[in-house]
Amino acid sequence: MAFRLASSPHNHSGSSTSNLMRTVILATIPGIAAQWYFFGAGNLIHIVLACMAAIITEAVFLKLRKQPILSRIQDNSALLTGLLIGISIPGFAPWWISVMGAVFAISIAKQLYGGLGQNIFNPAMVAYVMLLVSFPLQMTTWPPVSEITGYELSLWDIFNVIFTGLTLDGHTAHQLMQNIDGITMATPLDTMKNGLAMGNTVAEIQTKEQFSWLSGLGWEWINLAFLAGGVYLLSKRAILWYIPVGLLGGLFVISFIGYLWEPDSVGSPIFHLFSGATMLGAFFIATDPVSASTTPKGRLIFGALIGMLVYIIRTWGGYPDAFAFAVLLANMCVPLIDYYTQPRVYGHK
Amino acid sequence: MSQYRDIIYQGLWKNNPGLVQVLGLCPLLAVTATVTNAMGLGFATLLVLVASNTTISLIREYVPKEIRIPIFVMIIASFVTTVQLLMNAYVYELYQSLGIFIPLIVTNCIIIGRAEAFASRNKVLPSAADGFFMGLGFASVLIVLGAIREVLGQGTLFDGMDLLLGDWASVLRIEVFHSDTSFLLAILAPGAFIGMGFLMALKHAIDAQLDKRHKAQPVIETEPVVETESSTS
């Protein structure tokens, strides 16, 4: 009787890249829905645009590299990259922003490095940084929450803003960002940064209308929704807990120290945890299996490094939010982190 | 004559200082935001390279081997100073926009590299030719990269050419497309790195094509290899 010998792993859970990516995409739905509710349908349009651009670019590059096109696209990784770009782009940004970002992410940050599994930087974040550095004006057109502006925009209006720059009534994106009194509304993180620079205290700034009980009006719910999606991912074991815990822990500890030190001139830990891209980044961006660290201890360090960098750049840097920069900087450290955190092989000293 | 043909081929293509030796990256990446800047620095480097190669070749018999590098550096530095003063006098605005990168030509590895690898071992005329074609190879990479970055970044070509060539040259400015927002990535340093990477890839692709065509035909003559070098920067 002959035994068939196969190499390890002998027990396979049946998961594949395609299924994993699909789970992650499903888990973003609560967050996207919250964004839709508070900021209008702009992000939905950008998500569609970015996903289409990402998939077309992926197909073109696979064709150029003479690789199987259909099976590679079905791994859904390009779709996820496009989705993350679409989520992170401001809702009133012009259409070419998301298209350009997705094309840049797939072509330069992913395929030029060798395709899926080879990229050292997170493609969506490379694209985001490229857009933020190149087009600062367009990348700050976050719509204010409709409770502040006092009017609802129809889907058709938002569609027109994205594709022509004007609504049907001829308002520009920057006019749409004004409140009833005609003051342009920045995001809570931006308002906090500018307010502190002008010498106000945190408590004074938080009396403004963009702020609410946890952090910013609307932003807290978006972050909670992404947190819920992240918990779903953890329960499905699509991601491991090390990176999110390290990241949120790192951000909490450093912002808590800063808060104890100078409670008037830095945001509270809760404000930082539920502002901007924190939850989206902790569960969906930093956990990218390709560009993140791969050892258990390394993942904790990687996450904590991102958390601390986010706080440092938010507090002292030039931009209001810092997730993309923090993730890219941490990506650079991954080879070093992995080198020093190799787990002990059983039986060795 | 075949020696000169080889010098031309080495300088402009096979051993191109920008694309193959990857020397002088600092000015190459820093000043190529527009064609005008690229051309200004490219020609300044070309001038210094020809002059230093010629001089070093003339004195190559009398320079003690042990202290040749300081001597080369002094010769190069004096030519760079001359070029700097000339630019200060005649193209003042370009001189201001290139700033520190003109004096930094002294530290450009191409110049000391060619002095060490070629001029100190060859006769005057080949050395001058080597300086000229290496400089031309470097300048052409600068100009091509400058053109790519200028078109992508601000949608123009030859913008500010009057700084280099006098007032008449402002008619050379071509507006390829009009845009209200400049593409900052192309103008900033990352755009230079990405553009440079694409240029190198393009050169490899052309070389691979040529190789394929060359292999298809029977080989008639083989080029003699004059020198092999490994210069560091």
Side-chain angles (χ1 to χ4, degrees):
Chain A
M1 181 179 170
F3 287 106
R4 195 174 61 84
L5 287 179
S7 67
S8 61
H10 301 289
N11 195 356
H12 194 263
S13 67
S15 69
S16 63
T17 311
S18 176
N19 284 335
L20 176 72
M21 297 286 175
R22 201 180 308 143
T23 315
V24 177
I25 290 167
L26 276 180
T28 58
I29 288 176
I32 296 172
Q35 258 184 331
W36 184 14
Y37 179 79
F38 286 105
F39 297 137
N43 278 101
L44 293 185
I45 298 171
H46 278 297
I47 288 169
V48 172
L49 282 171
C51 287
M52 283 186 341
I55 288 172
I56 292 170
T57 316
E58 178 101 335
V60 169
F61 266 78
L62 289 172
K63 172 95 183 148
L64 284 176
R65 296 180 61 208
K66 300 187 181 71
Q67 296 200 342
I69 296 174
L70 209 60
S71 62
R72 289 291 167 88
I73 284 184
Q74 279 168 348
D75 70 19
N76 291 337
S77 63
L79 190 68
L80 181 60
T81 302
L83 183 77
L84 290 176
I85 294 172
I87 292 174
S88 42
I89 283 175
F92 287 160
W95 62 273
W96 47 266
I97 287 277
S98 53
V99 171
M100 200 178 206
V103 170
F104 192 85
I106 299 293
S107 60
I108 306 264
K110 185 176 172 195
Q111 291 293 345
L112 283 189
Y113 280 92
L116 181 68
Q118 307 291 328
N119 47 299
I120 50 174
F121 294 109
N122 187 326
M125 289 302 100
V126 173
Y128 186 85
V129 166
M130 184 277 285
L131 293 171
L132 188 62
V133 169
S134 300
F135 309 106
L137 189 67
Q138 285 80 1
M139 288 299 282
T140 49
T141 48
W142 278 105
V145 181
S146 45
E147 288 170 43
I148 296 179
T149 54
Y151 53 80
E152 293 279 343
L153 280 173
S154 69
L155 179 65
W156 187 234
D157 267 327
I158 294 175
F159 197 78
N160 268 286
V161 171
I162 290 175
F163 283 93
T164 65
L166 298 171
T167 61
L168 296 176
D169 310 332
H171 291 294
T172 63
H174 277 271
Q175 282 170 329
L176 292 180
M177 289 164 63
Q178 294 166 352
N179 67 357
I180 298 170
D181 303 324
I183 298 166
T184 302
M185 290 283 110
T187 61
L189 274 171
D190 210 2
T191 313
M192 179 69 88
K193 189 172 197 72
N194 290 330
L196 291 174
M198 288 191 311
N200 296 326
T201 63
V202 172
E204 282 168 354
I205 298 165
Q206 280 181 336
T207 58
K208 288 193 179 176
E209 54 200 322
Q210 298 103 314
F211 292 90
S212 180
W213 51 287
L214 269 179
S215 62
L217 193 60
W219 290 90
E220 58 207 4
W221 288 109
I222 292 171
N223 271 290
L224 285 171
F226 279 120
L227 174 63
V231 172
Y232 168 75
L233 280 185
L234 284 174
S235 73
K236 280 280 183 184
R237 295 183 63 79
I239 55 173
L240 296 171
W241 60 270
Y242 304 102
I243 292 177
V245 167
L247 197 157
L248 298 176
L251 182 59
F252 181 83
V253 167
I254 190 169
S255 57
F256 190 68
I257 295 171
Y259 193 64
L260 285 183
W261 195 262
E262 272 184 313
D264 275 346
S265 58
V266 290
S268 69
I270 297 297
F271 176 76
H272 278 288
L273 282 180
F274 291 95
S275 280
T278 306
M279 292 299 168
L280 172 71
F283 291 97
F284 295 90
I285 293 171
T287 51
D288 169 29
V290 178
S291 55
S293 178
T294 50
T295 60
K297 213 187 292 170
R299 285 182 175 134
L300 276 174
I301 297 172
F302 176 78
L305 184 67
I306 296 179
M308 284 190 260
L309 281 170
V310 164
Y311 180 79
I312 289 169
I313 302 175
R314 271 182 188 173
T315 311
W316 293 289
Y319 291 95
D321 205 355
F323 233 93
F325 294 109
V327 167
L328 293 188
L329 287 170
N331 281 161
M332 283 181 212
C333 306
V334 161
L336 189 73
I337 296 172
D338 278 355
Y339 180 81
Y340 282 108
T341 56
Q342 292 293 330
R344 192 170 65 97
V345 178
Y346 183 73
H348 280 254
K349 185 161 70 82
Chain B
M1 229 30 228
S2 81
Q3 188 193 3
Y4 289 100
R5 218 175 63 191
D6 190 59
I7 287 173
I8 296 172
Y9 178 58
Q10 294 277 347
L12 293 186
W13 189 257
K14 179 144 188 284
N15 227 340
N16 186 300
L19 294 180
V20 181
Q21 302 181 48
V22 204
L23 293 179
L25 268 187
C26 167
L28 185 80
L29 298 173
V31 303
T32 52
T34 63
V35 177
T36 309
N37 282 359
M39 214 176 250
L41 193 89
F43 286 143
T45 312
L46 174 75
L47 211 61
V48 173
L49 200 46
V50 173
S52 73
N53 259 15
T54 312
T55 317
I56 286 163
S57 176
L58 277 173
I59 59 164
R60 69 182 189 283
E61 306 287 343
Y62 312 106
V63 178
K65 198 168 177 304
E66 291 77 13
I67 56 160
R68 65 189 192 284
I69 300 289
I71 293 176
F72 293 168
V73 171
M74 274 194 289
I75 292 167
I76 294 165
S78 53
F79 282 120
V80 171
T81 312
T82 318
V83 167
Q84 186 186 359
L85 290 174
L86 281 172
M87 291 184 84
N88 194 347
Y90 294 105
V91 283
Y92 182 64
E93 276 158 332
L94 185 69
Y95 168 81
Q96 281 192 316
S97 85
L98 288 179
I100 186 70
F101 291 100
I102 303 172
L104 274 181
I105 296 175
V106 180
T107 61
N108 193 326
C109 316
I110 298 166
I111 298 169
I112 193 92
R114 294 325 290 174
E116 171 76 8
F118 199 95
S120 62
R121 297 168 195 179
N122 286 284
K123 293 206 179 83
V124 177
L125 269 183
S127 296
D130 179 76
F132 182 77
F133 286 106
M134 281 287 165
L136 204 61
F138 183 66
S140 48
V141 174
L142 279 176
I143 291 167
V144 170
L145 193 57
I148 295 172
R149 289 177 68 189
E150 192 177 336
V151 168
L152 286 180
Q154 49 190 52
T156 60
L157 262 182
F158 307 116
D159 185 30
M161 210 49 152
D162 45 324
L163 303 182
L164 184 64
L165 300 175
D167 283 337
W168 67 272
S170 51
V171 298
L172 286 176
R173 185 177 188 279
I174 305 167
E175 185 154 328
V176 182
F177 61 89
H178 178 78
S179 79
D180 296 325
T181 51
S182 55
F183 182 36
L184 281 173
L185 184 86
I187 300 173
L188 299 173
F193 276 103
I194 295 171
M196 184 73 185
F198 275 115
L199 283 184
M200 284 175 165
L202 182 70
K203 186 191 176 290
H204 281 295
I206 293 174
D207 274 344
Q209 278 292 323
L210 288 178
D211 260 8
K212 210 186 279 175
R213 205 178 300 165
H214 199 69
K215 273 190 192 127
Q217 296 166 352
V219 181
I220 300 164
E221 53 162 353
T222 47
E223 297 260 339
V225 180
V226 169
E227 37 140 10
T228 52
E229 79 215 55
S230 59
S231 25
T232 52
S233 116

